[in-house]
Amino acid sequence: MAKNTKIFCIENPFLDDQILEAANIIRNGGTVAFPTETVYGLGADALNKNAVFHIFEAKGRPADNPLIVHVDSIKSCLKLVKNIPEKALLLMDEFWPGPLTIVMERKESVPDITTGGLDTVAIRMPENSFALELIRLSGKPLAAPSANLSGRPSPTSAEHVISDLSGKIDAIVDGGQVSIGLESTVIDVTCDPPAILRPGKISKEDIEEHVGEVKIAYDDKVHHESETVRSPGMKYTHYSPDSTVILVEGEHEKVACRIKELVNDFTLRNAKTGLLITEEAIKDFPSDMSFSLGKKDKPEQAAKNLFLGLRYLDGKGTDIIIVDGSFDSNGIGMAVFNRVRKAADMIIKV
Ligand code: TXA
Ligand code: MG
């Protein structure tokens, strides 16, 4: 039966009582979507099996894909993990609150449904004040995957959550646009050297500065369901809009040229074509079917605009979305390429 999803529009989480109402829903075993600095999450009490079940149900998420547990202090991790390894402490000290998720050995108190049956648990302390207040007021660690239907691009605004999950969850805290736009970096510290399972704003180099060598344990491909991968989410994550996505990668001028050819081709074939394109090239494609990825040497702008743009163009009823892959791949750019390559049905290198 469809739920009557409450929407709390909150300007200041410290001054508005509605955040208390949202926290009460969590305490009573409900599901509440809320903003974090990365993307919106769909939260429930991580230690309440029934509440966590409702997250999987609402998203249509495969049961073996574990959830990230969100806390508001390092101390609250002690209830969730057997021990906090030295390297994890160094990382928490440096990057929390912030977009870094740390995988550690779980305590029995964390239910199987939350960890997808793994003996580890992924934990993060978000930086967003709405998220922190919701955790603090509910007094619970919050299991929260991105608040999208499984397989869809992650939501960067409350409107995206409404469009995917309205009627399926108890409430949405609308705290405006997120600031980063791409999910957190996930690092596993149960192995030596620690392994990055998902790239994000905090890069390998940022991490190595504090804990020495780490290895990369992800790739940019979509895996088959039967494959075993270290971070189960990475085999399911397609970040796919409904349209066919074509990524054109390479040096800026060549990419712009190739995109022009593709647009001409698709126009002749009557395919409704949308462009997710760098600021430098957008002037050559003036239309409401072009969405800016930002400046090509500012990958943090591409991070903020990628999911937003995919959803915007999808909403315009495009058949094809062409993505300009000429932005910088350093820093968060690497994570943007990871997501867009997984979303792409075809990658053209020029
Ligand atoms: O930025 C983020 O991380 C957002 C916000 C809401 O915090 N959350 C998010 O959650 O992206 P989700 O569920 O969409 O992605 C979680 C990723 C998945 O790839 C999952 O497989 C991995 O983290 N993960 C969770 N627990 C794990 C564990 N114990 N071991 C390995 N990977 C794990
Ligand atoms: Mg997700």
Side-chain angles (χ1 to χ4, degrees):
M1 205 183 69
K3 289 180 188 257
N4 177 16
T5 305
K6 282 193 184 157
I7 298 175
F8 302 119
C9 288
I10 300 179
E11 281 211 4
N12 185 332
F14 302 112
L15 297 177
D16 195 324
D17 276 353
Q18 291 187 98
I19 195 96
L20 255 178
E21 224 181 298
N24 277 332
I25 295 177
I26 296 279
R27 262 206 298 274
N28 292 324
T31 45
V32 178
F34 61 95
T36 79
E37 72 280 23
T38 56
V39 298
Y40 271 70
L42 174 57
D45 176 358
L47 304 181
N48 176 337
K49 287 182 211 168
N50 207 27
V52 174
F53 172 76
H54 289 303
I55 293 179
F56 281 88
E57 192 180 42
K59 282 183 57 99
R61 183 176 175 107
D64 70 346
N65 192 359
L67 307 181
I68 294 174
V69 179
H70 296 67
V71 296
D72 65 347
S73 68
I74 295 179
K75 214 165 102 196
S76 12
C77 292
L78 296 171
K79 284 192 214 130
L80 307 168
V81 299
K82 286 198 174 135
N83 68 315
I84 303 181
E86 181 61 29
K87 286 183 183 173
L89 255 184
L90 289 169
L91 292 173
M92 290 171 184
D93 209 37
E94 184 60 32
F95 297 111
W96 280 13
L100 183 71
T101 296
I102 306 177
V103 174
M104 292 170 280
E105 271 183 63
R106 71 152 160 164
K107 270 192 173 148
E108 300 296 318
S109 56
V110 185
D112 275 347
I113 186 169
T114 303
T115 67
L118 298 175
D119 49 17
T120 53
V121 59
I123 309 184
R124 153 168 132 80
M125 177 170 166
E127 196 175 17
N128 180 292
S129 53
F130 293 83
L132 287 172
E133 272 302 276
L134 188 64
I135 301 167
R136 190 180 72 80
L137 292 169
S138 66
K140 309 282 185 194
L142 293 191
S146 49
N148 49 282
L149 283 174
S150 214
R152 298 261 305 145
S154 294
T156 60
S157 70
E159 288 71 37
H160 297 164
V161 182
I162 292 169
S163 131
D164 276 18
L165 297 177
S166 185
K168 294 174 186 261
I169 61 177
D170 294 306
I172 298 171
V173 171
D174 182 348
Q177 290 276 342
V178 303
S179 59
I180 297 175
L182 214 64
E183 309 89 342
S184 60
T185 307
V186 179
I187 183 156
D188 183 348
V189 296
T190 64
C191 48
D192 195 31
I196 298 182
L197 306 183
R198 179 174 74 181
K201 181 177 180 194
I202 295 174
S203 68
K204 180 171 187 273
E205 293 72 33
D206 295 336
I207 293 173
E208 285 185 330
E209 220 174 279
H210 300 280
V211 296
E213 188 202 347
V214 297
K215 64 182 179 217
I216 287 189
Y218 64 85
D219 58 40
D220 295 347
K221 292 192 214 79
V222 174
H223 293 263
H224 292 290
E225 261 181 50
S226 55
E227 286 179 66
T228 311
V229 291
R230 298 255 319 252
S231 185
M234 296 316 271
K235 77 180 170 197
Y236 292 114
T237 317
H238 295 250
Y239 304 100
S240 298
D242 294 330
S243 324
T244 298
V245 177
I246 300 176
L247 169 65
V248 187
E249 283 186 26
E251 184 268 318
H252 182 69
E253 302 295 322
K254 286 187 186 157
V255 167
C257 244
R258 193 65 216 275
I259 290 180
K260 231 171 250 171
E261 288 168 12
L262 288 169
V263 169
N264 289 341
D265 252 28
F266 288 128
T267 310
L268 282 176
R269 288 195 254 162
N270 280 331
K272 201 166 177 189
T273 308
L275 297 180
L276 201 47
I277 192 146
T278 52
E279 197 63 46
E280 288 80 359
I282 205 165
K283 59 181 180 326
D284 298 329
F285 303 94
S287 137
D288 65 342
M289 301 294 279
S290 299
F291 192 94
S292 176
L293 267 181
K295 294 212 167 75
K296 68 182 171 59
D297 61 349
K298 296 257 184 305
E300 65 278 13
Q301 296 181 353
K304 204 165 175 175
N305 290 320
L306 175 69
F307 292 144
L308 185 62
L310 287 175
R311 280 184 179 262
Y312 168 85
L313 293 170
D314 230 15
K316 292 264 172 197
T318 48
D319 300 304
I320 311 266
I321 297 176
I322 302 176
V323 184
D324 172 349
S326 69
F327 54 87
D328 276 6
S329 63
N330 48 25
I332 198 171
M334 174 115 72
V336 185
F337 270 108
N338 171 263
R339 306 304 196 275
V340 74
R341 284 176 184 146
K342 280 175 182 276
D345 297 282
M346 185 198 274
I347 300 175
I348 300 175
K349 297 202 167 142
V350 291

